[in-house]
Amino acid sequence: MKKLHMLLLSSLLLVSACTPVYDNADEVVRETGNNNSDQSAIIPNYSLSDQTYRMILTEDSAKVSSAPGVTTNQMDNRLDIAAFENGLRRHSKEYYNPEKYYFQPGQTLTDSELLSWLSRKSEDNPEGLNPELNEDKASEKDFRSNPRYISNIIEQDYLVRKEDNVVEVAGVTIGISMRTVYNFTADGREYSENLSTEKLLAKGKEYANIILKRLRKKETLQGVPIVFAIFEEERDNTKTAGNFISKTYVEASENSIGDWKSIQENYVLFPSDEAEENYFDHAKLFSDFRVQVSDYFPNFVGMIANGFYINEELKKVEIDIPIQFRSQSEVVGFTQYIYSLVMEMFEDHYTVQVRINSMDQQESLIVKEPGNDKPYVYIYD
């Protein structure tokens, strides 16, 4: 099990009398099993909120994953990347309380290891999770029968402070990202195969069992609970992100996966046919909001919003308003007007975030959180 020996930062700093001392972090040393390669790191004393994990940072970086390049190289939709990583932390909170656990990007799985798993299985790559297929000789039918289902795997580590100033890994979360559409080339032509949620869920659970067995062979992950979450990607070049569809918790003593918990969440674009059909009240609210904005700026450029739903309940809506301003005073006046609309039109039980942009930069930001009387407002210089 990985351990981090804790040393108080204040006891290590030697400063002159005229130098201010800010005791805002604990310094740690991460044991790697090799005394010559131990790494120094710090843990901030403050988190951004009670629902945010404090992150372990190293001397050379904000401790990046051992596989930092896999996510961006394997996932085409930029919105999926953020939804996958941030959503994985959000789902981890059910099992790893941010008040007790520290966060660290995964340190066990490496780039080369993950890329091997994400490739097709073959004689040269027996660890591959995607179906075996000679793509150079495969026909269109072969590709459709053997698509590359899994596109990405993310490891996240969760650590706790133990006795004698020691911090150790006490939980791991593994995210498995599945393709909604498989694009391929056969006989010189481009094709795509749509993959159903039911099929992706079945394959994702199959992969999770295989991954669990591989993780349990690693000394650092023996006797550590592991959460698995399956993510269904959105189509390329869409304006919404994909979503998680299922998760499970594997006890520290278990080597197999039991029951899975269904996840009901969805990102919805406003305006859209889906919004009109399935979320009519919110679609009308957004339409009314657009009308009010156009009353102030009749020639404003198109405005869109993304709503995030959990169990069919709106949790957050992000609104982007692109407008060309002629002066800073115009920015301030327009922001004040949008602020009043947010206060009057949107309910209090979900987060509202409004980004006001000109053609080349963000001009202002308005954020209204549930339970807060007044939104947060920032106008950029």
Side-chain angles (χ1 to χ4, degrees):
M1 186 174 291
K2 295 180 182 178
K3 294 184 178 180
L4 301 174
H5 291 293
M6 306 296 299
L7 299 173
L8 289 179
L9 181 61
S10 58
S11 68
L12 297 180
L13 294 178
L14 299 177
V15 295
S16 64
C18 61
T19 304
V21 178
Y22 299 102
D23 187 13
N24 60 0
D26 284 339
E27 182 166 318
V28 302
V29 177
R30 177 174 178 263
E31 286 189 343
T32 62
N34 182 341
N35 291 333
N36 295 323
S37 63
D38 287 353
Q39 296 177 316
S40 297
I42 62 171
I43 300 177
N45 283 338
Y46 303 96
S47 61
L48 299 179
S49 72
D50 292 340
Q51 296 301 312
T52 304
Y53 290 104
R54 281 189 284 166
M55 182 180 291
I56 295 179
L57 313 172
T58 61
E59 57 188 353
D60 57 344
S61 68
K63 193 57 179 174
V64 297
S65 166
S66 292
V70 175
T71 298
T72 53
N73 291 336
Q74 297 297 314
M75 302 178 76
D76 296 324
N77 187 335
R78 293 179 60 85
L79 294 174
D80 277 343
I81 296 173
F84 188 32
E85 294 188 6
N86 296 334
L88 207 56
R89 278 193 295 273
R90 173 167 48 81
H91 286 290
S92 295
K93 292 175 185 177
E94 180 178 342
Y95 311 98
Y96 313 129
N97 189 335
E99 294 183 0
K100 176 182 177 183
Y101 289 82
Y102 306 113
F103 171 84
Q104 187 177 41
Q107 299 303 300
T108 300
L109 301 177
T110 64
D111 253 349
S112 59
E113 191 169 30
L114 285 181
L115 289 173
S116 172
W117 292 7
L118 295 172
S119 299
R120 289 191 180 276
K121 184 177 182 179
S122 65
E123 290 185 6
D124 296 332
N125 185 39
E127 296 288 289
L129 294 173
N130 279 301
E132 186 172 0
L133 181 69
N134 185 340
E135 295 189 351
D136 294 333
K137 299 180 179 179
S139 65
E140 176 190 348
K141 182 179 179 181
D142 294 331
F143 276 105
R144 292 192 186 278
S145 300
N146 300 279
R148 289 176 177 253
Y149 295 101
I150 185 172
S151 68
N152 196 18
I153 298 169
I154 286 183
E155 172 201 351
Q156 294 181 347
D157 296 342
Y158 296 87
L159 303 91
V160 295
R161 187 190 297 261
K162 310 294 285 188
E163 295 180 356
D164 301 323
N165 291 327
V166 171
V167 166
E168 64 184 21
V169 175
V172 170
T173 297
I174 300 293
I176 301 174
S177 184
M178 309 292 290
R179 290 184 176 89
T180 301
V181 178
Y182 172 52
N183 298 308
F184 62 94
T185 302
D187 302 322
R189 296 181 59 185
E190 301 291 332
Y191 297 96
S192 64
E193 175 74 8
N194 294 326
L195 304 174
S196 69
T197 299
E198 293 74 21
K199 185 67 173 179
L200 295 180
L201 184 58
K203 297 298 293 187
K205 292 179 178 180
E206 176 185 326
Y207 293 140
N209 277 288
I210 297 172
I211 294 170
L212 176 62
K213 290 180 172 59
R214 294 178 182 179
L215 295 181
R216 287 299 191 222
K217 292 180 181 179
K218 298 178 179 294
E219 182 178 354
T220 54
L221 297 184
Q222 294 174 5
V224 174
I226 301 176
V227 171
F228 287 93
I230 301 173
F231 183 83
E232 181 180 13
E233 296 176 14
E234 188 50 89
R235 295 173 178 271
D236 298 349
N237 302 318
T238 59
K239 296 180 179 180
T240 58
N243 52 269
F244 287 90
I245 54 179
S246 191
K247 62 184 175 182
T248 187
Y249 179 80
V250 182
E251 297 282 356
S253 59
E254 294 178 341
N255 295 315
S256 62
I257 296 176
D259 295 333
W260 286 80
K261 180 185 295 187
S262 176
I263 299 173
Q264 301 295 327
E265 61 181 40
N266 189 27
Y267 286 91
V268 178
L269 180 67
F270 296 92
S272 68
D273 292 339
E274 179 187 6
E276 289 284 345
E277 181 177 348
N278 299 326
Y279 304 95
F280 179 79
D281 289 344
H282 291 144
K284 186 178 186 307
L285 172 63
F286 180 74
S287 177
D288 292 342
F289 182 75
R290 285 171 58 93
V291 170
Q292 294 296 320
V293 174
S294 65
D295 284 346
Y296 188 99
F297 249 103
N299 59 343
F300 82 99
V301 183
M303 177 176 62
I304 63 171
N306 265 297
F308 177 59
Y309 292 80
I310 298 179
N311 296 324
E312 299 300 318
E313 181 180 351
L314 183 61
K315 294 296 184 180
K316 183 177 183 179
V317 60
E318 297 182 348
I319 303 172
D320 286 288
I321 307 178
I323 295 182
Q324 186 62 45
F325 295 103
R326 291 168 293 187
S327 68
Q328 183 68 7
S329 297
E330 204 170 58
V331 172
V332 174
F334 184 73
T335 301
Q336 290 175 338
Y337 178 67
I338 299 301
Y339 177 96
S340 66
L341 292 181
V342 170
M343 289 289 292
E344 294 169 3
M345 298 184 67
F346 293 95
E347 298 180 43
D348 188 52
H349 61 268
Y350 52 84
T351 299
V352 180
Q353 177 178 295
V354 182
R355 293 183 291 262
I356 300 172
N357 309 299
S358 64
M359 292 299 181
D360 56 355
Q361 65 183 5
Q362 184 167 338
E363 299 289 355
S364 59
L365 173 69
I366 302 171
V367 180
K368 182 175 183 293
E369 297 283 359
N372 290 351
D373 294 336
K374 297 182 179 180
Y376 165 84
V377 182
Y378 187 83
I379 299 175
Y380 297 88
D381 294 332

